[in-house]
Amino acid sequence: MSIPTPLTVALVGNPNVGKTTLFNQLTGLQQRVANFPGVTVERKSGSLTHSPHIEIVDLPGTYSLTPRSLDEQIAYEVLVGRRGKSPDLVVCVVDAGNLERNLYVVSQVIDIGLRVIIALNMTDAAEENGLIVDVSTLENELCVPVVPMVASKGEGVDHLIEKILNHGDQAQPYRWTLMDAVDAKIPDLTNILTEEAPQVKPEHKRMEVLRALAEDEALDGWRPQSPNFVKRIEELRQEFTDRGVAWKHAEISGRYAWLGQIVNKSVERVRGPATMSDRIDSVLTHKFFGPLLFVIILAGIFQAVFSWATPAMDLIESGVSAIATAIQSVLPPSWATDLLTDGVITGVGNVVVFFPQILLLFFFLGLMEDTGYMARTAFIMDRVMKRVGLSGGSVLPLLSSYACAIPGIMAARTLDSERDRLITIMIAPLMSCSARLPVYTLFIAAFIPAGAFFGILGYQGLTMFSMYIMGTVMAFVAAAILKRFIFKGPDSYFVMELPPYRRPRLRQVFVRMIQRTKVFALRAGKIILGCSIVLWFLASYPKVDSTAEINQAIIEAEQQRDTTLAQALVSNTDVNLNTLNDSVATKDKSLEHQQVIAQQNDQDHQSVIDSLIIIQQSAQIRGSAIGHLGRILEPVMQPLGFDWKISAGLISAFAAREVIISTLSIIYSVEEDEEGVALRDAILADQYPDGRPVFTPLVALSLLVFFVFALQCMSTLAIARRETNTWKWPIVMWLYMTGLAYLASLLVYQGGLFLGFS
Amino acid sequence: MTLQDLQPGESGKILEFESSVRSERLMEMGMLPGVIVKVVRFAPLGDPIDLRVQGYHLSIRRDQAAKIHVSKCES
Ligand SMILES: Nc1nc2c(ncn2[C@@H]2O[C@H](COP(=O)(O)OP(=O)(O)OP(=O)(O)O)[C@@H](O)[C@H]2O)c(=O)[nH]1
Ligand SMILES: [Mg+2]
């Protein structure tokens, strides 16, 4: 048996032709697939199932080997060997329904001397559109193997693998004709290039010459190193212009002329194209119904996310508290048990409660992506984006930021203007991501009544929708400001392919939903688990010794049975009597109080003592490390309506937004000394020492607004650093968003107070 | 006349591109002189345009379309 030689196979082709679908079939992996151009934005690799020596590389889609955006640049660099070795074999994935345009980049790949196999994909859709491709004619014309397939159903994949394993020779490059006037000049230019830039591989020379001739950017790239080459090309351009030679499009026209003939010979139209997709479009992008449906769809999604998830959330909530209670009853009381129940289970569990909502959100986003509606939103929104200086191309990264800003920021790579890309990165974190969802839900469920307008438009869902709108509108405003003052320049272009609508593949949507949730859970899980443990220690230590004060207070209260102190305490705490009695009975530290209670049956006395326990417990939490931290911040946060607990929560949320849920629940559970109190109820019950509620609807609103705008996510900063290659933009981003959050909350709270709300 | 002057449902044959429009990408995507394009519809806010070229849908803005000269095809 011969030792298998390692082989690298790259998947190349236009955007949205099924490269990743095929990649997943070949490798058994689950990379992201969706029905709009520009889904894959980085190089992904995996090995062919059962053949570990064959590496399959998935690449971003590209229309040509003249990259015009960052994602295309990556595909280009891999192909020409600027990112490691050039691939040994290229599988060019083409859409059988649109051969001419798809073969353009294939002909370029053949020309730079790469071995090519054509995967003729989407033959099912082509047939529906009345197109039949004659595979053998195509093979003969192009002189490369052609494998017809339906990647989404796995048809033809085995045949392709066979061809990969027995790949033949390389096809002869440059079989198309370049116009004579230009062709005549190529040898001369190639020679100059060889002298000035000996590092250019022989098989790339002709491509480089043609590119430098046609494109100013390409030409500028040669300026420092190859002045004579540049000079010669500039002279030639002038000469051609004088002679009336269409030099700019020489290559493109030459290739298309050749491809046109090939396609004429090998494609047969048996029937007119299907019209389903057009009919759907005439509704979804209708002048009037289009935008209306867009808003209805989005509002519907948030409504559904809010209401459909409730049963599952309730279930998880009771599950979590049951677990905490069970552990507490099984394990001996110790600090470790407290850490487990009050810290880990409370902290993590309270976030897990929100997973059903996150799943639903991901499901709907996946549905939009898979049907092709996502691309239409770019089409509908381009006009609006133009107003703020961007283009419809930014809509896709922004919409995917509703799930998470990180893929959103990466998706900005598809934009062909670097300025647009930077602006999009800077505003993407203003789109409400799934990590804000738990925070929104918690406070909306606590403070917004459950009713509905006309029985369908739930108040809670609408409030949530308005949070998303608020973030989105602010993103537009920020874009306009950035464009006007920082990234000045002319308007962007908008050139986008609109894919046909496709029936969503539910399996695909589900797989994607689970995957996104897993990523979310793993990231959040690590941060939340870590934070919860740290937070529990911060909330429980240092131990405050308040015995002396309490004893003192008991004596005083005894002495002045009817004094005002006692009465004040009594009136404050009547409500808590029962719960406190229970906890008193179970806790060591209340032993002495129990004795006191036993001695004195007087009701007043009991209340006095109960209130003393409250004093002791809140002294503990206030005296803990987190209490100190929170109270340092309190003066700064007071104007926004936040007490020290919320302030502490906000600070912890800068690690990741969901952590505020953990912080609040840990603070409350350490303080309450009781398991299983729903966080929502604890929030509603919390009071200042003078009896005012800590959370009022106005405070909740102020907090929500803070979360809409604040950039509280380390991962976003890290990814922005990677994508912009400098710390400058992430820092600017953090400062402007945090500043915005503070000001907006200040405005809401102070404005609310001024208007007489409390 | 330019591509911008065509109404939804009308088709035109591309004659030439004004030099100020970034025509290379459009040409790479199959919008070459001599090719017939059909205006399918305008976006709800009037811009951009949904075109049908070479059997697929391509969307570009009106101000870009205004720089592409066409001759109208009678259908
Ligand atoms: N009808 C049909 N649809 C397919 C086929 N292969 C893939 N698709 C669908 O085409 C769409 C695009 O698939 P992807 O695999 O994401 O395409 P891609 O080439 O990786 O796209 P980019 O990463 O954006 O370049 C998805 O909606 C797929 O479900 C096929 O053979 N037939
Ligand atoms: Mg892909």
Side-chain angles (χ1 to χ4, degrees):
Chain A
M1 209 181 100
S2 65
I3 300 162
T5 35
L7 192 71
T8 311
V9 183
L11 299 178
V12 178
N14 285 181
N16 206 40
V17 295
K19 297 178 295 298
T20 307
T21 310
L22 178 59
F23 175 82
N24 290 344
Q25 293 275 0
L26 291 172
T27 59
L29 297 174
Q30 287 289 354
Q31 290 299 332
R32 182 176 175 204
V33 168
N35 187 19
F36 61 88
V39 179
T40 308
V41 292
E42 52 188 338
R43 174 190 190 277
K44 291 275 182 185
S45 88
S47 56
L48 184 64
T49 319
H50 307 310
S51 313
H53 61 289
I54 298 185
E55 186 194 19
I56 310 282
V57 178
D58 187 22
L59 294 173
T62 181
Y63 290 106
S64 78
L65 288 190
T66 304
R68 303 186 197 276
S69 55
L70 213 58
D71 60 333
E72 292 192 342
Q73 178 83 23
I74 292 166
Y76 166 76
E77 286 181 358
V78 168
L79 283 179
V80 299
R82 282 206 211 136
R83 290 180 176 235
K85 194 168 75 65
S86 287
D88 303 301
L89 181 64
V90 175
V91 170
C92 285
V93 186
V94 300
D95 173 359
N98 184 9
L99 262 189
E100 211 159 327
R101 192 200 72 204
N102 272 265
L103 287 175
Y104 184 85
V105 69
V106 179
S107 77
Q108 288 186 316
V109 173
I110 295 175
D111 287 352
I112 58 172
L114 292 166
R115 244 186 272 268
V116 167
I117 298 174
I118 291 181
L120 184 69
N121 196 29
M122 302 201 173
T123 47
D124 57 338
E127 265 169 51
E128 265 171 48
N129 277 307
L131 294 174
I132 305 287
V133 180
D134 181 346
V135 174
S136 57
T137 311
L138 194 60
E139 256 176 352
N140 290 336
E141 291 291 329
L142 286 165
C143 302
V144 294
V146 176
V147 182
M149 57 194 314
V150 182
S152 52
K153 296 189 190 126
E155 285 171 28
V157 174
D158 288 342
H159 189 185
L160 178 69
I161 293 177
E162 215 172 279
K163 293 272 184 196
I164 290 175
L165 296 175
N166 308 304
H167 56 95
D169 290 335
Q170 177 206 325
Q172 191 206 338
Y174 293 104
R175 301 198 20 253
W176 50 282
T177 32
L178 186 62
M179 60 176 74
D180 290 340
V182 178
D183 199 40
K185 307 290 183 184
I186 301 278
D188 175 33
L189 290 168
T190 315
N191 288 337
I192 304 178
L193 192 64
T194 312
E195 273 167 34
E196 286 190 328
Q199 83 282 5
V200 179
K201 293 181 193 158
E203 63 270 26
H204 294 167
K205 278 182 187 149
R206 198 178 160 98
M207 171 185 71
E208 295 293 357
V209 168
L210 286 172
R211 262 233 317 245
L213 180 64
E215 304 261 336
D216 292 340
E217 283 101 12
L219 188 63
D220 289 340
W222 291 108
R223 246 171 241 286
Q225 194 192 6
S226 319
N228 287 328
F229 179 63
V230 174
K231 192 162 140 270
R232 187 74 195 99
I233 290 207
E234 280 171 341
E235 285 166 10
L236 258 184
R237 284 181 177 184
Q238 191 55 49
E239 184 192 325
F240 285 151
T241 311
D242 294 344
R243 283 165 52 194
V245 175
W247 53 273
K248 203 160 176 57
H249 306 314
E251 182 191 355
I252 305 178
S253 318
R255 282 187 200 279
Y256 266 109
W258 182 57
L259 295 173
Q261 288 170 6
I262 294 178
V263 170
N264 274 342
K265 282 184 211 163
S266 50
V267 180
E268 192 191 348
R269 174 166 288 288
V270 290
R271 150 165 63 76
T275 53
M276 195 58 195
S277 195
D278 274 342
R279 285 213 300 272
I280 298 176
D281 246 348
S282 61
V283 178
L284 288 182
T285 61
H286 185 270
K287 222 188 187 70
F288 175 69
F289 296 114
L292 187 71
L293 283 169
F294 181 52
V295 174
I296 290 180
I297 288 171
L298 285 186
I301 289 179
F302 295 120
Q303 184 78 47
V305 163
F306 210 96
S307 47
W308 293 4
T310 317
M313 289 171 68
D314 291 345
L315 209 67
I316 300 179
E317 194 162 7
S318 40
V320 168
S321 66
I323 292 175
T325 320
I327 289 184
Q328 195 132 50
S329 62
V330 172
L331 294 181
S334 71
W335 68 268
T337 310
D338 278 352
L339 169 63
L340 197 60
T341 54
D342 286 352
V344 174
I345 293 179
T346 309
V348 176
N350 271 297
V351 175
V352 171
V353 167
F354 297 96
F355 268 50
Q357 286 196 324
I358 290 167
L359 275 169
L360 270 177
L361 179 70
F362 288 168
F363 175 77
F364 287 118
L365 282 177
L367 217 51
M368 274 171 72
E369 290 176 351
D370 223 45
T371 49
Y373 186 64
M374 211 72 156
R376 266 65 186 187
T377 61
F379 178 64
I380 295 176
M381 293 292 291
D382 175 66
R383 190 64 242 286
V384 179
M385 302 307 282
K386 192 177 172 184
R387 278 299 276 276
V388 300
L390 292 174
S391 83
S394 295
V395 172
L396 301 176
L398 291 180
L399 278 183
S400 71
S401 300
Y402 278 148
C404 175
I406 292 164
I409 285 175
M410 285 183 61
R413 288 181 180 182
T414 56
L415 299 174
D416 56 7
S417 140
E418 182 65 8
R419 209 183 45 227
D420 282 17
R421 190 176 75 90
L422 281 175
I423 297 177
T424 307
I425 290 175
M426 295 291 282
I427 63 172
L430 278 173
M431 310 298 284
S432 285
C433 64
S434 50
R436 278 142 162 140
L437 202 54
V439 185
Y440 291 172
T441 307
L442 178 66
F443 290 99
I444 289 175
F447 291 98
I448 306 290
F453 291 112
F454 316 116
I456 43 165
L457 296 170
Y459 302 142
Q460 297 183 329
L462 277 182
T463 313
M464 177 122 98
F465 184 45
S466 55
M467 294 295 132
Y468 281 82
I469 296 283
M470 199 189 301
T472 309
V473 168
M474 189 52 79
F476 289 173
V477 173
I481 293 174
L482 285 168
K483 174 80 179 216
R484 199 174 155 110
F485 296 106
I486 301 182
F487 303 102
K488 292 177 206 148
D491 263 5
S492 337
Y493 287 84
F494 178 62
V495 175
M496 196 169 94
E497 184 185 353
L498 297 175
Y501 289 100
R502 282 191 239 276
R503 181 170 318 163
R505 293 197 294 149
L506 282 185
R507 215 184 81 86
Q508 184 74 43
V509 175
F510 272 108
V511 166
R512 180 81 199 121
M513 170 182 90
I514 299 294
Q515 234 173 16
R516 274 176 159 162
T517 312
K518 238 199 235 155
V519 172
F520 180 88
L522 283 179
R523 184 186 65 85
K526 269 186 237 150
I527 298 177
I528 293 171
L529 181 64
C531 287
S532 295
I533 293 174
V534 173
L535 284 167
W536 180 83
F537 278 106
L538 292 181
S540 307
Y541 297 93
K543 284 286 179 212
V544 177
D545 183 17
S546 48
T547 336
E549 291 142 35
I550 287 188
N551 286 340
Q552 183 59 35
I554 291 175
I555 294 163
E556 278 173 22
E558 298 236 341
Q559 284 167 350
Q560 325 166 5
R561 195 174 257 258
D562 304 314
T563 59
T564 38
L565 169 69
Q567 279 170 351
L569 288 171
V570 169
S571 59
N572 268 347
T573 54
D574 273 353
V575 200
N576 294 324
L577 256 178
N578 290 333
T579 42
L580 278 162
N581 274 341
D582 295 346
S583 64
V584 164
T586 54
K587 294 287 164 174
D588 286 354
K589 59 186 168 204
S590 9
L591 260 179
E592 54 200 80
H593 311 318
Q594 259 183 298
Q595 288 162 1
V596 179
I597 292 169
Q599 287 164 4
Q600 306 167 351
N601 289 325
D602 187 1
Q603 257 247 317
D604 280 0
H605 260 80
Q606 215 171 334
S607 334
V608 170
I609 289 151
D610 287 337
S611 52
L612 288 172
I613 294 171
I614 292 193
I615 293 176
Q616 192 238 349
Q617 281 170 344
S618 62
Q620 167 60 43
I621 197 89
R622 284 173 69 84
S624 71
I626 203 164
H628 281 292
L629 182 73
R631 274 179 299 139
I632 292 174
L633 289 164
E634 201 170 10
V636 188
M637 295 306 200
Q638 196 83 69
L640 314 186
F642 305 157
D643 78 337
W644 69 265
K645 288 173 206 163
I646 309 178
S647 308
L650 273 185
I651 292 308
S652 64
F654 275 95
R657 297 179 173 91
E658 319 83 289
V659 175
I660 191 178
I661 307 262
S662 313
T663 312
L664 286 179
S665 49
I666 289 169
I667 290 181
Y668 287 122
S669 73
V670 169
E671 185 181 61
E672 300 270 319
D673 242 344
E674 223 183 310
E675 302 316 316
V677 176
L679 180 53
R680 198 187 312 143
D681 300 332
I683 283 175
L684 285 170
D686 196 16
Q687 293 178 341
Y688 284 108
D690 63 7
R692 280 184 301 127
V694 168
F695 283 93
T696 63
L698 187 59
V699 172
L701 186 64
S702 168
L703 188 61
L704 282 175
V705 168
F706 193 93
F707 270 88
V708 171
F709 297 133
L711 177 48
Q712 300 157 297
C713 180
M714 296 294 177
S715 322
T716 301
L717 291 171
I719 208 80
R721 153 82 183 84
R722 198 187 77 187
E723 294 291 297
T724 59
N725 249 323
T726 148
W727 275 112
K728 178 178 160 199
W729 295 123
I731 290 172
V732 171
M733 189 156 126
W734 189 84
L735 288 176
Y736 99 84
M737 285 183 63
T738 309
L740 189 65
Y742 189 88
L743 286 179
S745 283
L746 187 70
L747 198 71
V748 165
Y749 188 67
Q750 296 299 335
L753 287 183
F754 181 74
L755 292 176
F757 297 99
S758 60
Chain B
M1 93 186 287
T2 69
L3 191 51
Q4 191 196 18
D5 303 321
L6 297 180
Q7 290 305 306
E10 293 178 343
S11 307
K13 188 176 190 168
I14 299 179
L15 299 176
E16 58 168 346
F17 292 84
E18 275 175 29
S19 55
S20 55
V21 63
R22 269 197 283 168
S23 52
E24 294 85 19
R25 175 39 50 96
L26 292 177
M27 292 188 67
E28 283 169 354
M29 293 176 81
M31 294 245 307
L32 298 158
V35 167
I36 293 180
V37 275
K38 179 177 173 186
V39 174
V40 180
R41 63 173 59 83
F42 300 148
L45 299 170
D47 200 16
I49 309 176
D50 174 4
L51 300 172
R52 199 175 169 84
V53 214
Q54 309 247 13
Y56 74 98
H57 287 260
L58 180 69
S59 169
I60 65 172
R61 283 184 179 165
R62 299 189 73 126
D63 50 9
Q64 288 162 275
K67 293 180 176 147
I68 302 171
H69 294 267
V70 295
S71 65
K72 190 168 159 183
C73 304
E74 302 308 327
S75 46

